[in-house]
Amino acid sequence: MMVNSTTTHFILGAYLNVGTLKYFYVILIVFLYILIIVANTSLIVVICMNRSLHEPMYLFLCSLFVNELYGSTGLFPFLLIQVLSDIHTVSAPLCFLQIFNLYSYANTEFCTLAIMSYDRYLAICCPLQYNTSMTPIKLGAFIILSWLYCFVKTMITLSLSVNLLLCGNIMNSIYCSNYLIVKLACAENKVTNIYGIFSSLISILVPLLPITFSYIKILKICFASSKATRQKAFNTCVPQLVSLFNFSFGCFFEILRTRFDMSSVPSELQVALSLYFGMIQPFLSPLMFGMQMSKIRNTYFYCCKMLMGHRAPT
């Protein structure tokens, strides 16, 4: 079937026929989405409302939690509609909107984790210069520029795909993917393919370089420091590393799934790992940072006690 760039819809071909089990999956999706909203929103409120948490590390975390809400909102309502539907189609504008959401979310996640690693490097390795190096103006610039960079980068990626001449409209996926749309093009587009590879490398290397540099320096300081310093570094850096490795795994599989033949992998496993990219990280981030970092945890529980105290009957 010949389809041009004005195609009205795409068909998502990776959904499995699960019968009445779909209602169980609907409940699971709704439950997890509510959990993600509550966990991330409550931590954002705690950080914003408590002046003791108005430090660069916690404000970067606030940006990270906002990004988790942003990314999950682009995935969960969409999945809910598709699971309930018997015909898994999505309009072209909505498909490109979801691609923009998921790709900008992934890029912002990596960039925010990179900025956070640099912040920890300054705090642990250069404590005397920390306040002058991480001023409120620089902090705001880091957050705004990282989001702006990721949005512009994603917009460029989409601009190369939206006008492609397509010879099909079926994607072997449960949500929209830019490269799968590129693969539907009638003729190979070298500019789009080269930019796609370049964009993927930039998405990985730009955040990976400061992350690698920062943690190498932090490890050197930790090995030469006291037990108390090592413990402090451990408490603040481990959640970042866990989040980084978890999200990297999800993105790595998603790149493999879209760019290589995965027919030998069971369909159920492909779906599960495909969902891993967008489902686990928004839940893991508030869990890791909220529970592992004592200052956030203590402030959070204090706010909960205060709230319960106000609601208690007199």
Side-chain angles (χ1 to χ4, degrees):
M1 178 175 62
M2 179 69 72
V3 183
N4 60 24
S5 59
T6 61
T7 184
T8 58
H9 70 279
F10 294 98
I11 299 172
L12 303 172
Y15 281 90
L16 306 174
N17 184 10
V18 294
T20 55
L21 272 177
K22 70 179 182 180
Y23 298 108
F24 167 76
Y25 292 125
V26 165
I27 294 172
L28 191 63
I29 291 170
V30 171
F31 175 74
L32 187 56
Y33 185 41
I34 292 174
L35 204 61
I36 288 170
I37 291 174
V38 171
N40 285 280
T41 303
S42 60
L43 289 174
I44 291 170
V45 171
V46 166
I47 292 172
C48 291
M49 297 298 291
N50 289 272
R51 295 184 63 85
S52 63
L53 296 177
H54 290 183
E55 301 174 12
M57 177 173 62
Y58 302 110
L59 295 177
F60 288 137
L61 277 177
C62 193
S63 176
L64 186 72
F65 297 146
V66 170
N67 191 48
E68 306 299 3
L69 291 173
Y70 168 68
S72 57
T73 300
L75 180 63
F76 279 83
F78 178 87
L79 286 177
L80 188 62
I81 294 171
Q82 291 298 326
V83 170
L84 285 171
S85 175
D86 294 325
I87 303 174
H88 305 295
T89 62
V90 54
S91 66
L94 182 59
C95 191
F96 284 111
L97 179 62
Q98 186 181 49
I99 291 171
F100 177 83
N101 172 274
L102 294 179
Y103 279 51
S104 57
Y105 158 71
N107 280 278
T108 304
E109 190 82 3
F110 276 124
C111 283
T112 304
L113 289 171
I115 294 169
M116 289 169 63
S117 69
Y118 176 67
D119 173 73
R120 289 302 83 205
Y121 157 73
L122 290 176
I124 296 170
C125 302
C126 311
L128 297 179
Q129 291 82 37
Y130 181 74
N131 289 332
T132 55
S133 299
M134 193 60 69
T135 62
I137 293 177
K138 289 182 179 179
L139 185 151
F142 273 129
I143 294 174
I144 293 171
L145 290 177
S146 64
W147 280 78
L148 185 62
Y149 159 76
C150 296
F151 273 48
V152 170
K153 181 174 174 294
T154 306
M155 190 66 74
I156 294 173
T157 300
L158 274 184
S159 68
L160 295 174
S161 305
V162 72
N163 293 316
L164 289 175
L165 185 67
L166 306 181
C167 286
N169 66 343
I170 301 176
M171 286 187 283
N172 184 29
S173 179
I174 57 175
Y175 50 79
C176 295
S177 168
N178 184 68
Y179 189 70
L180 292 180
I181 291 179
V182 172
K183 288 169 71 173
L184 294 173
C186 298
E188 184 178 5
N189 190 305
K190 291 185 178 180
V191 173
T192 303
N193 286 332
I194 291 172
Y195 180 78
I197 295 171
F198 173 76
S199 179
S200 298
L201 290 174
I202 291 296
S203 298
I204 296 170
L205 291 179
V206 166
L208 186 62
L209 289 176
I211 289 172
T212 304
F213 169 81
S214 298
Y215 283 110
I216 287 175
K217 293 291 186 181
I218 289 171
L219 284 174
K220 287 182 178 179
I221 291 292
C222 287
F223 283 126
S225 300
S226 64
K227 183 178 178 180
T229 302
R230 287 197 298 270
Q231 186 63 39
K232 181 180 178 182
F234 177 84
N235 290 337
T236 58
C237 294
V238 166
Q240 294 182 22
L241 289 173
V242 171
S243 290
L244 175 65
F245 289 138
N246 175 74
F247 195 66
S248 297
F249 171 78
C251 291
F252 176 71
F253 177 80
E254 190 61 14
I255 292 172
L256 289 180
R257 185 185 69 83
T258 55
R259 292 186 174 269
F260 299 96
D261 181 17
M262 302 290 288
S263 57
S264 59
V265 179
S267 299
E268 294 82 0
L269 182 59
Q270 287 191 49
V271 170
L273 290 174
S274 184
L275 289 173
Y276 189 97
F277 160 74
M279 277 192 167
I280 303 302
Q281 187 73 4
F283 173 73
L284 181 68
S285 287
L287 182 66
M288 286 298 301
F289 291 107
M291 293 297 102
Q292 192 70 20
M293 301 182 74
S294 59
K295 195 169 183 179
I296 292 182
R297 183 176 66 248
N298 294 337
T299 306
Y300 180 80
F301 287 141
Y302 174 76
C303 291
C304 289
K305 288 179 181 178
M306 290 292 292
L307 185 63
M308 293 295 290
H310 283 300
R311 290 183 176 180
T314 57

